Amino acid sequence: MNGIGSYYMKKIVATVVVIQVIIIGLAVALLAFLPGDTLAFLGLSQRTGYYNILDYGAQSNRPSFDNAKVFNEIIQEMGPNGGTIYIPVGNFYINSSINIDRSYVSIVGDNSGLRSGVDGSTPNTQAGGGGAKLIVPSGVTAIQMVDEESSQRISGVTFKSFQIRGEGNNGIGIEAIQDTDRVVIDDLVINNVGVGVQLHGADALSIRHSWISETKTSIILNGASQQASIVNNALGAQPDGVTIELENPQWYTISGNNIYPDGASNIRLYNPLYGNISNNTISSRYTGVIELLPNKEGAYGDGNMISNNNISISTYRPHPERKEHDWGILHIGASNTFIQGNQINAEAMPKGYTAITLASGENNRVSNNFISPE
């Protein structure tokens, strides 16, 4: 081949290579913008350990279809490193429990939807409580953490950005039967169930930025827990329940929550140790808004701080557990409790009420609280 022909052949090869590089680059860029289900259709994985329930046969808006079986199939498919289950926007009915029997499982929704099913809507909002929603019948636990083959702790489980809505004010939203480490509940809506969250032996628990209400009881931690954090939530219970109830908690934080009626107690702690209840806005209709009580073995709490809470009795009603108004808006059965800087607005309370009752314990200190009327 002469010199001129060789020159043009090299130019053609170089041009073809450049075009191929451009095409490959455009294809890669396009794949980055494709949704997960399209990638699955093309036989490409979005990322390892990611499971879209629609890819496993989940069906929305079908009350007779039990989507819990889809979740359980995915969980059993996960390896020792766990994975993330994705719930898209839709009403996914579950007629039995989603069972988490291993660690490192995350269930993440597209969004948690509206505050409740009674909210209004416009063409730009979701009607009827919208978002990624699990609908559960009365008396059924929506999500249960238990490993029947092992007593080891279940660790590193996350629930984020979806809604659990009961069809009757019974059952449990999220339950752990055995001990857990680092369960995270973030941006969840749980309503119209008996108990929103009930966990046993929950260490390093985090419940944050969630709305857990229209329930008999919002949160129960039984057994014993360490370093539980309940922060920046909207919570509400009913007269035959308690908004936050903790048994033997140690080094806990309850802060920045908006807690409203009608729970028999807004915060009830049995044998609490070295914890902090601060900067909450709490409204109630009863005495016993915050209670520190001995546990069933008779052990008293120690070293707790109750500070900078805004507490108001909006309307007074007889206590559902028949506790008289001298029981105290704050009732303390613990030692070394520091109660400081709280604002207690009790204008609806009857005359002769008690704002702070130090029922038992030693070295409890009360200072700089604003109580109206005195």
Side-chain angles (χ1 to χ4, degrees):
M1 182 179 293
N2 59 36
I4 296 175
S6 176
Y7 170 77
Y8 283 109
M9 181 58 69
K10 290 180 180 178
K11 291 283 288 185
I12 292 170
V13 171
T15 302
V16 171
V17 170
V18 171
I19 293 173
Q20 288 176 335
V21 170
I22 292 172
I23 291 173
I24 292 171
L26 289 173
V28 171
L30 178 61
L31 287 174
F33 289 98
L34 289 176
D37 51 356
T38 305
L39 289 170
F41 176 77
L42 295 174
L44 302 173
S45 175
Q46 186 178 30
R47 65 178 182 268
T48 303
Y50 179 88
Y51 305 86
N52 187 330
I53 61 171
L54 294 179
D55 296 337
Y56 287 79
Q59 299 182 27
S60 63
N61 300 315
R62 284 195 58 192
S64 62
F65 185 82
D66 188 7
N67 285 285
K69 296 178 179 179
V70 174
F71 283 86
N72 292 333
E73 175 189 347
I74 293 171
I75 291 168
Q76 294 310 308
E77 184 177 312
M78 291 178 178
N81 293 323
T84 298
I85 302 174
Y86 168 67
I87 309 173
V89 170
N91 298 330
F92 295 94
Y93 289 81
I94 56 173
N95 300 318
S96 58
S97 297
I98 296 170
N99 297 311
I100 298 176
D101 62 355
R102 62 200 62 206
S103 298
Y104 319 125
V105 175
S106 296
I107 300 179
V108 178
D110 197 88
N111 66 77
S112 59
L114 299 180
R115 186 184 68 84
S116 74
V118 299
D119 285 333
S121 63
T122 73
N124 294 323
T125 63
Q126 295 286 346
K133 183 163 57 180
L134 300 179
I135 301 177
V136 58
S138 177
V140 172
T141 296
I143 300 173
Q144 188 174 82
M145 287 177 277
V146 59
D147 184 357
E148 296 180 352
E149 298 180 357
S150 173
S151 61
Q152 298 298 313
R153 289 177 176 270
I154 294 176
S155 303
V157 178
T158 297
F159 307 100
K160 183 177 176 63
S161 299
F162 64 93
Q163 181 176 162
I164 298 173
R165 183 176 178 186
E167 292 186 305
N169 200 216
N170 207 338
I172 301 173
I174 298 174
E175 180 183 27
I177 294 176
Q178 67 195 78
D179 293 355
T180 60
D181 280 325
R182 206 188 63 76
V183 170
V184 175
I185 297 171
D186 184 12
D187 184 32
L188 246 60
V189 171
I190 304 177
N191 58 33
N192 203 30
V193 297
V195 179
V197 176
Q198 182 169 339
L199 306 181
H200 186 275
D203 286 356
L205 166 71
S206 177
I207 302 177
R208 62 198 186 206
H209 309 135
S210 294
W211 190 86
I212 307 173
S213 192
E214 299 174 4
T215 61
K216 290 183 179 179
T217 291
S218 295
I219 298 169
I220 296 177
L221 303 185
N222 52 25
S225 62
Q226 298 183 45
Q227 289 104 10
S229 175
I230 302 172
V231 176
N232 296 336
N233 303 284
L235 307 170
Q238 295 175 341
D240 53 352
V242 176
T243 310
I244 298 174
E245 180 177 295
L246 311 185
E247 182 182 27
N248 305 311
Q250 191 171 25
W251 305 306
Y252 62 90
T253 299
I254 300 173
S255 180
N257 301 285
N258 193 313
I259 307 174
Y260 41 90
D262 276 322
S265 177
N266 297 76
I267 300 174
R268 179 179 291 173
L269 311 182
Y270 296 97
N271 184 34
L273 297 171
Y274 318 123
N276 179 19
I277 302 171
S278 64
N279 298 298
N280 300 285
T281 299
I282 307 174
S283 59
S284 181
R285 297 186 174 96
Y286 315 112
T287 57
V289 172
I290 298 176
E291 298 174 328
L292 308 187
L293 305 173
N295 64 12
K296 57 187 176 182
E297 287 79 24
Y300 286 86
D302 188 84
N304 299 281
M305 174 174 285
I306 302 173
S307 64
N308 300 313
N309 299 285
N310 193 325
I311 300 169
S312 62
I313 307 298
S314 55
T315 303
Y316 177 74
R317 293 179 182 174
H319 199 281
E321 297 173 352
R322 299 183 178 180
K323 294 174 180 176
E324 299 298 332
H325 55 261
D326 60 354
W327 175 259
I329 296 173
L330 273 60
H331 183 95
I332 308 302
S335 296
N336 297 304
T337 310
F338 189 27
I339 304 171
Q340 178 185 24
N342 301 283
Q343 177 153 329
I344 301 175
N345 302 290
E347 293 182 0
M349 290 290 292
K351 292 182 178 180
Y353 81 96
T354 302
I356 301 172
T357 296
L358 303 178
S360 56
E362 300 176 345
N363 299 320
N364 294 303
R365 298 185 180 185
V366 180
S367 67
N368 297 324
N369 297 281
F370 177 83
I371 301 171
S372 175
E374 295 183 357

